[in-house]
Amino acid sequence: MGLCTAWGLSRAGWSVTVIDQDAVPNPRGSSVDEHRLIRHAYGAQAGYMRMVDAAYGAWDMLWDELGERLEVRTGVLALAGGATEPQGGWLGQSRAALATDGHAFEDLDPAAIAARYPMLRADGITDALAMQPGGVLLAGRIVAALARHLAVRGVRIERGRAVAVDPARASLRLECGEARQADLLVLAAGPWAPRLLPELAPRVAPSRQIVVYLEPPPEHRAAWTQGPMLLDLSEAGGFYAVPPVAGTALKIGDHRFSRQGDAEDPREASAAEADAILALARPRLADAGAYRVLGARACYYDVEPAERFLLEPLGPRAWVMSGFSGHGFKFGPVLGLALAAAAGDPALAGALPAWAAGEAPPPPGLLP
């Protein structure tokens, strides 16, 4: 979020300095991993479903400037099973919202799943839909490429750890004792934000999340490489799977939020943490015992209870960007452009928080 907003502000004519506590790309950052997903299926959160088209437009702008497209189109397969009713739960809500807005999708029965996706077990699946739009954003590569591009644009990236924030003065105090002051301050500190803004702590919690990387057995490697992202987002225990595209590994992640831990904790995952994630996915994998675990790690989300984004002014000279959980990355460029537009327009500044929270359409002039 910080780099994307720096990009948006630089394009709008601001002179920008980024301050990060670690080297950029920051290996402790939530987004510095192999992949993130972009898709329209969003449960009952129709505001974010509608924001995806604007996100694609912003990514296209960024690809043009970077000179490369760091995205792989895979399509989407969303599943439900167990006690979930065909028209209920996250999948049923997604279907209803997609249909209302005219998005094309295909309903699949277990027989079609077994025929089309041999790497999956159809047993226990009661509902499924497939969509062609959607894919994998190569997150770590994007962050690195964006940092390089910002340097070319004249954006300064400075290493320093902020220990205090004064929104009224748009200033930071750094751990080294130095201060930084600006005309505009944007705090995009991920799971560290509640430390810097104590008033944020009741609204946003750091959340330790585990991902596991797998090597499929030989008989399923081709199917996975050519397969879609997999979303099985049951409230009882949901997971997602990212196919091994562009030389990456098959990744399984936990869609549940732990809302526990400290962003300063190590990023190594324990065997127990990895096993807990695999237990969610194994019932869906054909020949599950033949998969080889390549590794596991933790990242930290900043989670708002309803998964709403917080893009809010902290007075006339400062903004906070927080609450992005696991679904904010796809919106990084469009949110950065929107904040840059709002920073110079009081009317847009007043409308931005509701749109970013998925609760209102964008006002005219907010998006390029």
Side-chain angles (χ1 to χ4, degrees):
M1 290 300 162
L3 295 183
C4 284
T5 303
W7 173 64
L9 289 167
S10 174
R11 294 181 83 258
W14 293 78
S15 174
V16 183
T17 297
V18 175
I19 298 177
D20 198 299
Q21 64 185 335
D22 294 315
V24 177
N26 183 347
R28 295 194 293 166
S30 301
S31 301
V32 184
D33 181 55
E34 289 186 329
H35 9 58
R36 289 293 184 267
L37 301 175
I38 183 165
R39 34 80 179 180
H40 285 89
Y42 243 98
Q45 295 177 296
Y48 290 123
M49 176 191 70
R50 293 171 184 140
M51 199 183 291
V52 170
D53 286 334
Y56 273 124
W59 282 113
D60 285 341
M61 292 173 61
L62 184 56
W63 304 145
D64 286 345
E65 291 194 23
L66 295 180
E68 58 180 332
R69 178 177 291 271
L70 297 170
E71 172 195 11
V72 180
R73 300 291 174 94
T74 65
V76 180
L77 175 63
L79 305 176
T84 304
E85 294 295 329
Q87 298 302 318
W90 182 88
L91 180 52
Q93 293 166 347
S94 295
R95 176 183 284 110
L98 292 166
T100 297
D101 274 32
H103 291 284
F105 59 85
E106 180 184 5
D107 291 319
L108 301 177
D109 60 24
I113 293 170
R116 192 177 300 183
Y117 308 109
M119 69 286 203
L120 301 179
R121 292 181 57 201
D123 299 351
I125 296 174
T126 58
D127 194 16
L129 66 80
M131 294 185 67
Q132 288 300 315
V136 176
L137 296 164
L138 301 170
R141 301 180 200 179
I142 289 169
V143 173
L146 181 53
R148 293 191 299 268
H149 180 62
L150 291 176
V152 172
R153 291 193 63 92
V155 172
R156 181 183 178 193
I157 298 180
E158 176 183 339
R159 186 163 179 176
R161 182 180 176 88
V163 295
V165 177
D166 185 344
R169 297 186 179 186
S171 68
L172 296 174
R173 182 164 55 84
L174 303 182
E175 190 174 50
C176 65
E178 297 179 1
R180 297 287 185 273
Q181 190 166 6
D183 297 312
L184 177 70
L185 171 69
V186 179
L187 181 68
W192 288 272
R195 288 172 173 246
L196 294 170
L197 285 178
E199 63 268 32
L200 202 62
R203 305 174 64 192
V204 176
S207 185
R208 183 176 175 87
Q209 304 296 131
I210 307 299
V211 293
V212 181
Y213 304 94
L214 300 174
E215 180 181 351
E219 60 270 29
H220 296 310
R221 286 177 192 166
W224 271 116
T225 300
Q226 300 166 18
M229 73 174 78
L230 175 62
L231 306 174
D232 191 343
L233 305 187
S234 165
E235 293 183 6
F239 76 96
Y240 61 89
V242 185
V245 297
T248 67
L250 170 64
K251 183 172 77 176
I252 305 291
D254 192 348
H255 188 257
R256 303 167 300 177
F257 300 129
S258 74
R259 293 186 173 87
Q260 296 180 354
D262 188 303
E264 291 294 311
D265 290 343
R267 295 303 193 263
E268 293 79 12
S270 68
E273 287 177 316
D275 286 343
I277 306 308
L278 292 175
L280 300 174
R282 285 190 184 105
R284 296 289 190 241
L285 302 179
D287 305 310
Y291 284 72
R292 184 167 71 93
V293 177
L294 299 175
R297 69 183 296 268
C299 72
Y300 273 84
Y301 292 168
D302 44 321
V303 174
E304 192 274 341
E307 297 187 64
R308 291 174 298 208
F309 304 155
L310 305 181
L311 264 71
E312 298 177 356
L314 300 171
R317 297 175 58 193
W319 285 79
V320 62
M321 305 178 77
S322 189
F324 295 109
S325 62
H327 73 114
F329 188 91
K330 69 176 73 66
F331 298 116
V334 73
L335 293 178
L337 292 170
L339 196 151
D345 187 322
L348 294 180
L352 177 56
W355 172 74
E359 296 171 349
L366 182 66
L367 303 178

